[in-house]
Amino acid sequence: DSLDALLLNLAAFTGLVMESMTRTPAWRFLDLGRRLERAFQTTTLVRSMLWANSGTDPSILEALVETADSLMTYRSRYLSRMQLAPVLDLLITDETNPRSIAFQIVACNAHVDQLCRDEATPDHPLEQRVGMALLHDVRMADATDLARKYATGDSRELFDLFHQFEMKLPQLSDAIAHKYLIHGGPPRLLSDIYP
């Protein structure tokens, strides 16, 4: 009951942010942070579920898709029992699924492109380069090939992809934070400075 109430409140807050918050830079940073967190959490979730070589178990795959809030999309699109290739496609590479890693990365790149930057600098800033690298990684991933290799015991390429996400998503977050957010020390009272 407590979790249901919490989920209801969080859904209401999310709806309020998405429908009523003015699209100022504050909203952009809020949504950017939300997208980065979702991409990182989905990466961790999928990697953790597949780590124990359980990617061929339909019940494990169904739990994974349900946890990622994509079960209805899976059933309407694939009309089949749970298989690893469509699950990887849906949760990693599908840019139309609002719960996939690819969707989050595309949204992050759109936000990064809208951030203020020094037009006098000819090359792309760090946050844009990291975002483009993430987008390249996810677009070059072949879910069918990754699933086939995983099923034959070669999960190296799949886990390398997860490693790239887990390394580059925090890099993107740090690059944005260092460039755009204030890094002041803790506040101090004047009475602490002068007796």
Side-chain angles (χ1 to χ4, degrees):
D1 289 340
S2 297
L3 288 176
D4 286 342
L6 177 64
L7 286 174
L8 185 63
N9 289 334
L10 289 173
F13 177 72
T14 300
L16 182 67
V17 167
M18 296 310 294
E19 297 297 327
S20 302
M21 191 171 175
T22 307
R23 298 311 196 245
T24 63
W27 176 84
R28 187 171 307 286
F29 285 114
L30 175 72
D31 195 55
L32 188 51
R34 187 169 68 98
R35 300 292 178 190
L36 285 166
E37 284 294 321
R38 182 172 287 165
F40 195 83
Q41 289 172 356
T42 303
T43 299
T44 304
L45 174 69
V46 177
R47 181 185 46 76
S48 298
M49 294 285 279
L50 297 178
W51 184 256
N53 291 326
S54 55
T56 55
D57 183 345
S59 62
I60 298 288
L61 292 173
E62 184 170 354
L64 174 62
V65 172
E66 188 169 1
T67 304
D69 199 21
S70 297
L71 189 58
M72 190 179 338
T73 305
Y74 185 93
R75 287 186 175 152
S76 68
R77 185 178 295 172
Y78 298 109
L79 303 173
S80 66
R81 67 195 266 306
M82 292 288 164
Q83 297 174 3
L84 183 58
V87 169
L88 293 179
D89 174 52
L90 186 65
L91 298 182
I92 297 175
T93 62
D94 184 357
E95 293 183 27
T96 65
N97 178 15
R99 297 295 180 163
S100 77
I101 296 167
F103 187 93
Q104 309 314 316
I105 292 171
V106 168
C108 286
N109 277 297
H111 286 311
V112 166
D113 289 343
Q114 295 299 315
L115 295 175
C116 297
R117 65 187 193 107
D118 183 6
E119 296 297 331
T121 307
D123 48 351
H124 296 288
L126 177 60
E127 65 275 8
Q128 223 173 16
R129 290 193 313 270
V130 174
M132 289 187 296
L134 278 163
L135 194 55
H136 178 267
D137 290 344
V138 77
R139 284 182 171 163
M140 294 307 294
D142 181 344
T144 304
D145 187 52
L146 291 171
R148 183 183 52 75
K149 288 179 180 175
Y150 179 91
T152 61
D154 182 11
S155 59
R156 193 174 48 244
E157 193 175 330
L158 179 61
F159 287 101
D160 283 348
L161 180 65
F162 293 141
H163 177 72
Q164 289 300 313
F165 293 152
E166 290 173 334
M167 185 179 64
K168 290 176 185 170
L169 287 165
Q171 283 178 353
L172 178 57
S173 177
D174 290 344
I176 292 166
H178 289 305
K179 185 170 182 178
Y180 295 100
L181 303 179
I182 297 172
H183 303 284
R188 294 174 39 181
L189 297 174
L190 288 176
S191 62
D192 293 342
I193 300 171
Y194 298 105

